[in-house]
Amino acid sequence: MSLRPQFALVDVNNFYVSCERVFRPRLEQRPVVVLSNNDGCVVARSYEVRALGVKMGVPWFQIKDLARRYKIVALSSNYTLYGDMSNRVVHILRGFSPNLEVYSIDESFLALERMQSCYENTILLGKNIRQRIKQWTGLPVCVGIGSTKTLAKLANHLAKKNDVFDGVCDIDQLSLKEANAWMSGLPVDTVWGVGRQLYRRLTAIGIHTVLDLRKASPQYIRNQFGVVLQRTCEELNGVSCLSLEEVAPAQKQIINSRSFGIVVSEIEELREAVAMHVTSAAEKLRRQCLVSAAVCVFIQTNRFQGDRPQHHPSLTIPLLAPSDDTLVLITAALKALDVMYRPHYQYKKAGIILLLLSDKRIEQRALFDNVDSARRSAQLMAVIDAVNRQFGRHTLRSAAMGTQHRWAMRADRRSGRYTTSWDELPVAR
């Protein structure tokens, strides 16, 4: 007998803020915001800040008076910490189900149908997931369960917004009357994949709530909006159309860029920044067993300072052969930078894009390639990666990256990288 599909969506509540609170418990119940690169805009808000009416993406300088009045704690983004905590949550979830899709840094789908004989009570399973993640990482999560991914996503929303579910909602365990009552109280843009434009089009034809979309004719929805929304409509009715993506699709390009903490005019500092971006991107290449056949480099002045001279060039350099060698990629990138650079401009941002990515394992090499040189390159990169994993990022690096980094992104309010840096381990007092 085949088991019916069943999915769970596990979502960390207020992920960035929750990561900060794990290591700084005094921030519990306090209004907290996390700021974007260079402490520019609000990218995460605690529930206390949301209650004050602070919108996502608002510039920090615009709410400084409000922050002083309500003692809002502002923190710089700490992506190293957030990434590591996300990996820990995923590791825990794999202990519950080997069939898992990491949907985002704070959300993962689990396939449960193969586990139905082990967990007859899905609510108990959800509570076990919540308890273990909280105990092992300190992070609060909610769990939504349904026979489709769309229903699991909707169930997670109900679990997060309504205390009656105590953090776990299996929407399939609700009676039809109960499910319809909950759906009739939710606007249609609550549904996964219904954005602002689609919301306007749906409400214009009388589809205002989740229940309205569920009751709509799938064929009518297809005729009006296309096959994607038709599948969403069918998923709301329990017909599973979206499978679990256990293997992430291969990337088509890798982008690495950052705004500078200060404006940069000297080419030496631009070279350091570009070399650092290439190094980070090359590490991602090797982790995914990919190679790149072209490097695009771009530099930008500040577009918001219209009274200053503007310069926003980009240049792509093709490689003789696809490579994942950091040194080869840096050499190409710096050639592009030397061509584009103009003195006396004040640059605010630099970045690189690795293009024409392909699988290294099926790479077609040129007839006259030096096999020994390729082998030495692979061995060198493997040693560099191993040393940096053990002793910390950039322990071994290209001299082109420099050492001063005056231009580095401003993060004056960043908390410690508590889980990945020996020098920043939390201290109990």
Side-chain angles (χ1 to χ4, degrees):
M1 181 179 69
S2 61
L3 297 175
R4 65 182 177 88
Q6 194 167 38
F7 302 90
L9 176 67
V10 181
D11 181 14
V12 183
N13 302 340
N14 215 348
F15 180 61
Y16 288 0
V17 173
S18 294
C19 287
E20 300 288 355
R21 284 174 167 171
V22 167
F23 299 96
R24 300 171 68 177
R26 66 179 182 275
L27 296 179
E28 291 288 348
Q29 309 302 321
R30 294 189 60 186
V32 179
V33 296
V34 176
L35 304 176
S36 62
N37 295 341
N38 289 309
D39 296 342
C41 301
V42 173
V43 295
R45 306 158 295 162
S46 68
Y47 295 120
E48 296 81 5
V49 172
R50 296 182 194 188
L52 296 174
V54 176
K55 303 297 184 182
M56 184 71 78
V58 63
W60 169 239
F61 75 87
Q62 290 185 5
I63 62 168
K64 282 189 175 180
D65 290 340
L66 185 73
R68 281 192 291 268
R69 192 182 317 147
Y70 292 99
K71 298 182 179 179
I72 297 175
V73 178
L75 301 171
S76 302
S77 297
N78 189 344
Y79 298 119
T80 303
L81 174 64
Y82 308 150
D84 186 68
M85 294 295 282
S86 175
N87 292 337
R88 291 170 187 243
V89 172
V90 170
H91 179 74
I92 294 170
L93 292 177
R94 292 195 189 280
F96 286 95
S97 173
N99 309 107
L100 179 145
E101 173 190 337
V102 179
Y103 179 65
S104 66
I105 193 171
D106 60 344
E107 295 178 280
S108 292
F109 284 101
L110 284 71
L112 303 182
E113 61 266 22
R114 300 177 190 176
M115 305 169 60
Q116 288 174 10
S117 58
C118 302
Y119 291 95
E120 295 295 339
N121 187 334
T122 54
I123 299 296
L124 179 60
L125 168 61
K127 290 184 176 181
N128 286 342
I129 291 174
R130 291 191 78 212
Q131 188 274 334
R132 187 174 300 178
I133 292 176
K134 182 66 174 178
Q135 181 180 2
W136 290 11
T137 69
L139 295 172
V141 304
C142 284
V143 182
I145 301 170
S147 54
T148 70
K149 291 172 73 174
T150 301
L151 284 175
K153 185 87 168 173
L154 185 65
N156 186 279
H157 176 85
L158 292 173
K160 186 176 293 187
K161 300 296 183 180
N162 301 277
D163 293 339
V164 66
F165 293 107
D166 194 24
V168 180
C169 173
D170 184 343
I171 201 166
D172 294 331
Q173 289 193 11
L174 301 176
S175 67
L176 180 60
K177 182 178 180 180
E178 290 174 322
N180 286 346
W182 283 110
M183 291 183 185
S184 66
L186 296 174
V188 69
D189 59 350
T190 306
V191 175
W192 184 29
V194 177
R196 185 179 304 171
Q197 292 186 0
L198 200 51
Y199 172 76
R200 285 198 292 263
R201 293 179 61 194
L202 285 167
T203 55
I205 61 172
I207 298 178
H208 298 277
T209 68
V210 176
L211 183 61
D212 292 337
L213 183 58
R214 187 184 196 185
K215 289 184 174 181
S217 163
Q219 189 58 49
Y220 173 76
I221 293 296
R222 177 170 184 153
N223 292 339
Q224 295 293 319
F225 301 96
V227 68
V228 174
L229 193 61
Q230 178 201 6
R231 290 172 180 167
T232 299
C233 182
E234 291 179 344
E235 288 237 327
L236 286 174
N237 285 280
V239 180
S240 182
C241 303
L242 303 174
S243 60
L244 205 67
E245 296 183 9
E246 298 177 47
V247 179
Q251 289 185 255
K252 296 182 180 180
Q253 60 184 23
I254 294 177
I255 303 175
N256 217 89
S257 67
R258 284 289 185 275
S259 297
F260 301 135
I262 60 173
V263 292
V264 172
S265 299
E266 301 298 326
I267 192 170
E268 289 78 12
E269 293 181 313
L270 286 173
R271 290 171 66 90
E272 291 178 0
V274 167
M276 179 168 285
H277 291 321
V278 171
T279 299
S280 297
E283 291 170 354
K284 296 175 186 177
L285 267 185
R286 294 193 289 273
R287 283 199 298 268
Q288 299 176 51
C289 204
L290 298 172
V291 288
S292 171
V295 184
C296 174
V297 181
F298 58 89
I299 51 178
Q300 299 174 355
T301 52
N302 192 336
R303 298 177 184 270
F304 299 102
Q305 294 183 338
D307 57 330
R308 294 182 179 275
Q310 298 292 311
H311 192 221
H312 308 104
S314 65
L315 182 63
T316 299
I317 300 292
L319 304 179
L320 293 176
S323 178
D324 63 359
D325 188 314
T326 299
L327 304 181
V328 171
L329 297 170
I330 286 178
T331 299
L334 295 185
K335 285 181 180 178
L337 177 64
D338 289 342
V339 172
M340 295 186 297
Y341 171 74
R342 298 290 182 271
H344 311 307
Y345 283 96
Q346 294 186 337
Y347 295 100
K348 185 61 178 175
K349 186 175 184 178
I352 65 98
I353 309 173
L354 299 184
L355 302 167
L356 304 178
L357 306 187
S358 59
D359 192 327
K360 185 176 182 178
R361 293 164 293 190
I362 55 174
E363 176 187 357
Q364 179 67 50
R365 303 200 64 86
L367 179 62
F368 298 106
D369 272 359
N370 188 322
V371 177
D372 289 337
S373 176
R375 183 169 58 249
R376 288 195 299 270
S377 168
Q379 291 172 343
L380 175 60
M381 293 301 109
V383 169
I384 290 175
D385 290 341
V387 170
N388 289 338
R389 279 195 300 271
Q390 182 171 355
F391 296 102
R393 199 167 181 225
H394 302 325
T395 300
L396 286 181
R397 56 185 176 177
S398 166
M401 288 173 57
T403 58
Q404 298 299 318
H405 301 166
R406 290 190 318 112
W407 45 266
M409 183 181 71
R410 188 171 65 251
D412 301 331
R413 303 168 182 268
R414 181 179 64 78
S415 56
R417 292 167 292 189
Y418 304 111
T419 61
T420 57
S421 173
W422 287 107
D423 297 332
E424 300 179 29
L425 288 175
V427 177
R429 291 187 174 91

